[in-house]
Amino acid sequence: MFDSSGELDEEATSAHLDRLISEGAHGIVVGGTSGEFISLTDAERRRLIDVAVRAVAGRVPLIVGTGCFSTAETLRLTDYAAVAGVEGAIIILPYYQRPSEAEVLTHFRTIGRQARLPIMVYNNPANSAAPSLGTQSLRSLYEAGWASGVKSTFQLSIRCMSCEQSSTTVSVFSTAA
């Protein structure tokens, strides 16, 4: 949320997050990939993380969007979020670069190996210009421990993602109709 001068409105953001939790939200995602993160500077993204950590105050899980144009920048912001005290990161496909699927998988493998937070892959090819990751690729990231969940903007085979051979399950959030 921004104030009339275009600055991050910390008070309104805190009040909004508090209201969501008071009304029964089971978790909060800030700085996600619905467009707001792309309009924030790195400093504003970090301030938003700090504001959210203070406002949520451990009452529900807090996940923050830490996806950036590059793997290195994504890792830096994800590390900042971990130190700040969030529970996880949602990371969009590398955007605007038109990477291959192999490059996208390398991006997520690198982040998954180095991040100090559980990560959720945001499989949103329409808004990133990256290829969609199919269920087998997503499953490989999950089974290797490099991703804890998936948010996808198109239909995935949930059966394939359920990892029947495993004693654990993967969270899949789908926004496809």
Side-chain angles (χ1 to χ4, degrees), residues 113-175:
R113 277 193 301 266
Q114 295 180 34
R116 296 188 289 171
L117 287 173
I119 65 166
M120 178 181 287
V121 173
Y122 189 9
N123 198 21
N124 186 342
N127 291 332
S128 65
S132 63
L133 293 178
T135 53
Q136 294 301 336
S137 292
L138 291 166
R139 184 175 179 163
S140 72
L141 292 172
Y142 172 76
E143 289 182 333
W146 297 322
S148 297
V150 175
K151 178 181 178 189
S152 188
T153 58
F154 63 95
Q155 193 63 35
L156 289 172
S157 169
I158 302 304
R159 181 171 173 260
C160 180
M161 287 301 300
S162 68
C163 301
E164 296 94 0
Q165 293 86 8
S166 175
S167 62
T168 59
T169 58
V170 62
S171 297
V172 178
F173 300 87
S174 179
T175 56

Side-chain angles (χ1 to χ4, degrees), residues 56-74:
V56 171
R59 294 178 288 169
V60 296
L62 174 61
I63 298 173
V64 299
T66 60
C68 297
F69 181 78
S70 73
T71 304
E73 287 300 313
T74 300

Side-chain angles (χ1 to χ4, degrees), residues 89-112:
I90 184 168
I91 301 173
I92 190 147
L93 300 167
Y95 47 91
Y96 306 121
Q97 302 177 69
R98 298 200 180 274
S100 67
E101 183 173 349
E103 291 167 325
V104 171
L105 287 170
T106 297
H107 173 76
F108 281 109
R109 285 182 191 119
T110 301
I111 294 165

